[in-house]
């Protein structure tokens, strides 16, 4: 498997970025949806937010790396029958990248309200102090509703991928997984 992208497919680094980031985002969306249902005395009430934050910070670093790699690499040609499919694919991809960043950053703003540093595996990460009233509430509002929007775009992305793979027979999953074209 090649290291870099080309017009026919993705390189190994793009594939790893895509699937690691996808796993993180799915875990974060699922745990976030579950966390809001927990009562104070539920056994996961305290540990789940802790793990959610750890994965969220890891997703932030992945998001930065993935974004930089995405914009520094040629993107494989989108094979579609209609112009609107190419346009929809590009809009969906860029929107998911943007929304993921906003959700991750707003989550970091939420955890920034209580402390000057966030300890992530022994590394003291500086927090974001916006010097505004109700910083956590405002960031929490955007974090929640943009995560809902991101969930919608991810669903659209998965459904379109399955349609192209199984109905249109375009072998899109082979390209996404980086298999030989």
């Amino acid at each position: 498997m090649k290291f870099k992208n080309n017009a026919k497919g993705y390189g190994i680094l793009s594939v790893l970025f895509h699937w690691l980031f996808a796993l993180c985002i799915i875990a974060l969306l699922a745990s976030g949806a579950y966390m809001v249902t927990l009562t104070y005395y539920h056994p996961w009430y305290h540990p789940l937010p802790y793990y959610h934050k750890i994965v969220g910070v890891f997703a932030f670093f992945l998001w930065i790396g993935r974004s930089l790699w995405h914009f520094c690499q040629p993107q494989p040609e989108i094979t579609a029958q209609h112009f609107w499919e190419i346009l929809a694919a590009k809009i969906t991809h860029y929107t998911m990248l943007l929304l993921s960043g906003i959700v991750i950053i707003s989550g970091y703003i939420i955890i920034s309200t209580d402390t000057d540093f966030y300890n992530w595996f022994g590394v003291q990460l500086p927090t974001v102090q916006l010097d505004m009233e109700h910083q956590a509430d405002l960031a929490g509002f955007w974090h929640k509703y943009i995560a809902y929007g991101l969930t919608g775009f991810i669903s659209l992305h998965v459904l379109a991928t399955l349609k192209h793979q199984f109905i249109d027979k375009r072998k899109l999953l082979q390209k996404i997984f980086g298999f030989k074209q």
Side-chain angles (χ1 to χ4, degrees), residues 87-142:
L87 184 63
K90 288 184 179 192
I91 289 171
T92 301
H93 283 110
Y94 287 118
T95 302
M96 284 190 303
L97 195 59
L98 176 67
L99 293 180
S100 332
I102 293 171
V103 169
I104 292 167
I105 291 167
S106 63
Y108 197 73
I109 291 171
I110 294 168
I111 66 172
S112 295
T113 57
D114 296 336
T115 183
D116 291 332
F117 291 95
Y118 177 70
N119 185 359
W120 190 67
F121 296 111
V123 177
Q124 297 292 318
L125 300 174
T127 56
V128 180
Q129 301 295 329
L130 298 177
D131 195 30
M132 62 176 11
E133 273 191 64
H134 311 292
Q135 173 180 325
D137 294 335
L138 192 58
F141 173 84
W142 290 109

Side-chain angles (χ1 to χ4, degrees), residues 32-54:
Y34 185 61
M35 276 191 308
V36 298
T37 68
L38 300 177
T39 62
Y40 184 78
Y41 295 104
H42 192 282
W44 280 100
Y45 183 80
H46 294 289
L48 192 56
Y50 171 77
Y51 295 120
H52 188 83
K53 291 173 197 175
I54 287 173

Side-chain angles (χ1 to χ4, degrees), residues 4 8 15 19 23 38 52 59 63 82 107-108 111 124 144-145 150 159 168:
K4 293 184 172 186
K8 294 186 182 236
V15 172
W19 291 108
L23 287 173
L38 300 177
H52 188 83
W63 178 74
H82 306 285
Y108 197 73
I111 66 172
Q124 297 292 318
K144 178 180 178 179
Y145 289 105
L150 178 59
L159 289 172
D168 298 343

Side-chain angles (χ1 to χ4, degrees), residues 1-13:
M1 179 180 277
K2 61 200 171 304
F3 183 73
K4 293 184 172 186
N5 299 350
N6 62 32
K8 294 186 182 236
Y10 293 100
I12 185 70
L13 198 54

